[in-house]
Amino acid sequence: MAGIMTAKIDSREVGLVVGLKLLHFFLDTRDLHYGLWQNDLDVCVRNLPEAQRRYSDFLLSHIPDDVNRILDVGCGAGGIARELLERGYDVEGVSPSPLLTEEARQLAGDAFKIHQGCFEDVCFGVDEKFDLVMFSESFQYINLYKGLEYAQRLLNPGGFILISDFFKRNAAGRSAIGGGHEDEKFMALLQQSSLEVLKNKDITRETAPNFDLADQLDRELIFPTLRLAGYAFVQNHPWLAKVLRWKYRKKISKISKKYSGGERNAENFARFKVYRLLLLRSP
Ligand SMILES: C[S@@+](CC[C@H](N)C(=O)[O-])C[C@H]1O[C@@H](n2cnc3c(N)ncnc32)[C@H](O)[C@@H]1O
């Protein structure tokens, strides 16, 4: 806890933890990853925990039989690590976020060893080798030119890399949905590497509906709440509101566009992103 008090905290990290607390309170889930929306599942917020469980099952079903030691890079709140430990794997995690590390420790327990820091840094301090290095929706945060190489260094001969994440398509126009490495660049790097591609599954269709839920949340909850708070502030502090509105006009316009623009939806996700599950084998 002392570390938390002195370390500088990223606002995105606080956002992730707040999101996690809300999801836990309202939906009893501690997962920070998308849901996998298969055909039989209605896209509604009540079904999110089930869709997230299906994602975890789908991901873990791609772990090859002879794997025992796994490094879970960007282990979030520890939900997948806990599942892996329950299934008998020997698991260690990497987490750059002190707040999420705290959550993961509570959820996965003392058997879960977490290397604190960014993967690009901590991988040099990890002496052990693993049978599989996993990036579940964390690959997009890792330096594109270092991720695969650094993961390979930590693998036993013949070890695996499992990536589940989305990438940016080379599509015309500007996406309102951020994130993801450029798909073309990534696939070119993969081809140049010594890694063998065992599986490359496109699950864009099953993951895109998460953005219809995000769109609904933006329009029905986040935007009206921000607008109400803004209205109350303008009524109570008109002069200060005028100054702040002028000073932060660009930021305000960006936030308002983001949450009321209606562009963060499944259709645009599928247009601008491709979500891949990749199983790679090192020589
Ligand atoms: C969307 S969450 C996914 C969490 C978890 N893997 C899951 O599937 O539920 C992204 C995770 O990547 C982590 N992350 C961000 N940058 C990272 C980096 N440079 N090295 C390692 N992990 C990173 C975040 O702290 C967070 O735990």
Side-chain angles (χ1 to χ4, degrees):
M1 200 64 184
I4 293 176
M5 300 310 286
T6 51
K8 203 173 163 196
I9 306 283
D10 187 327
S11 61
R12 281 174 309 178
E13 188 188 321
V14 175
L16 270 179
V17 178
V18 171
L20 182 74
K21 297 280 182 199
L22 289 172
L23 280 171
H24 184 219
F25 185 78
F26 286 111
L27 295 171
D28 200 21
T29 167
R30 288 180 187 270
D31 285 331
L32 275 178
H33 52 75
Y34 290 177
L36 192 75
W37 298 93
Q38 287 153 330
N39 284 340
D40 62 318
L41 200 60
D42 285 343
V43 181
C44 64
V45 77
R46 274 188 317 281
N47 284 338
L48 182 62
E50 170 63 15
Q52 287 181 310
R53 193 191 57 73
R54 290 185 185 196
Y55 166 91
S56 304
D57 287 348
F58 177 75
L59 176 76
L60 303 194
S61 73
H62 289 82
I63 298 176
D65 286 344
D66 42 355
V67 164
N68 176 37
R69 303 209 67 224
I70 297 179
L71 183 66
D72 180 2
V73 180
C75 57
I80 288 181
R82 182 174 70 168
E83 183 75 38
L84 288 167
L85 287 162
E86 281 170 5
R87 293 184 187 198
Y89 293 103
D90 185 356
V91 192
E92 294 185 11
V94 176
S95 169
S97 152
L99 294 175
L100 287 176
T101 301
E102 196 76 7
E103 295 284 335
R105 284 223 169 91
Q106 278 177 26
L107 191 65
D110 294 338
F112 184 39
K113 177 175 169 185
I114 304 177
H115 302 271
Q116 183 68 52
C118 287
F119 178 64
E120 298 90 322
D121 302 325
V122 300
C123 67
F124 291 101
V126 178
D127 298 326
E128 308 100 294
K129 297 278 182 209
F130 298 86
D131 302 320
L132 184 143
V133 175
M134 186 166 79
F135 298 89
S136 168
E137 292 186 5
S138 57
F139 194 75
Q140 60 178 279
Y141 300 101
I142 313 286
N143 182 303
L144 176 61
Y145 299 96
K146 295 179 180 164
L148 293 177
E149 183 200 326
Y150 288 4
Q152 268 189 282
R153 284 191 198 184
L154 296 174
L155 285 175
N156 287 318
F160 302 92
I161 298 175
L162 183 58
I163 298 173
S164 177
D165 212 336
F166 66 80
F167 297 83
K168 268 188 256 177
R169 286 185 202 274
N170 184 9
R174 201 167 165 275
S175 170
I177 302 167
H181 291 306
E182 278 179 42
D183 191 51
E184 275 183 10
K185 263 192 200 159
F186 170 72
M187 292 312 275
L189 283 172
L190 192 52
Q191 266 195 346
Q192 289 159 22
S193 76
S194 57
L195 291 160
E196 182 187 353
V197 180
L198 300 181
K199 291 202 171 117
N200 178 2
K201 294 190 180 169
D202 182 338
I203 53 166
T204 312
R205 194 179 57 80
E206 292 89 340
T207 48
N210 291 291
F211 276 86
D212 277 340
L213 286 187
D215 182 47
Q216 193 188 356
L217 192 75
D218 289 351
R219 281 184 294 104
E220 292 177 18
L221 183 66
I222 297 182
F223 188 65
T225 307
L226 289 176
R227 206 163 56 170
L228 195 63
Y231 176 73
F233 191 78
V234 170
Q235 293 301 307
N236 296 338
H237 311 279
W239 283 104
L240 184 58
K242 231 179 204 173
V243 175
L244 292 178
R245 205 153 46 185
W246 180 80
K247 190 166 188 296
Y248 294 107
R249 58 195 180 283
K250 282 192 186 147
K251 230 179 193 151
I252 291 170
S253 144
K254 204 170 147 192
I255 290 175
S256 146
K257 201 164 172 239
K258 178 170 176 184
Y259 293 112
S260 70
E263 289 174 27
R264 289 175 358 118
N265 55 29
E267 191 187 331
N268 279 335
F269 181 78
R271 179 169 159 219
F272 289 105
K273 314 285 177 185
V274 51
Y275 195 123
R276 296 184 186 281
L277 179 131
L278 291 139
L279 180 65
L280 315 171
R281 182 163 50 202
S282 190

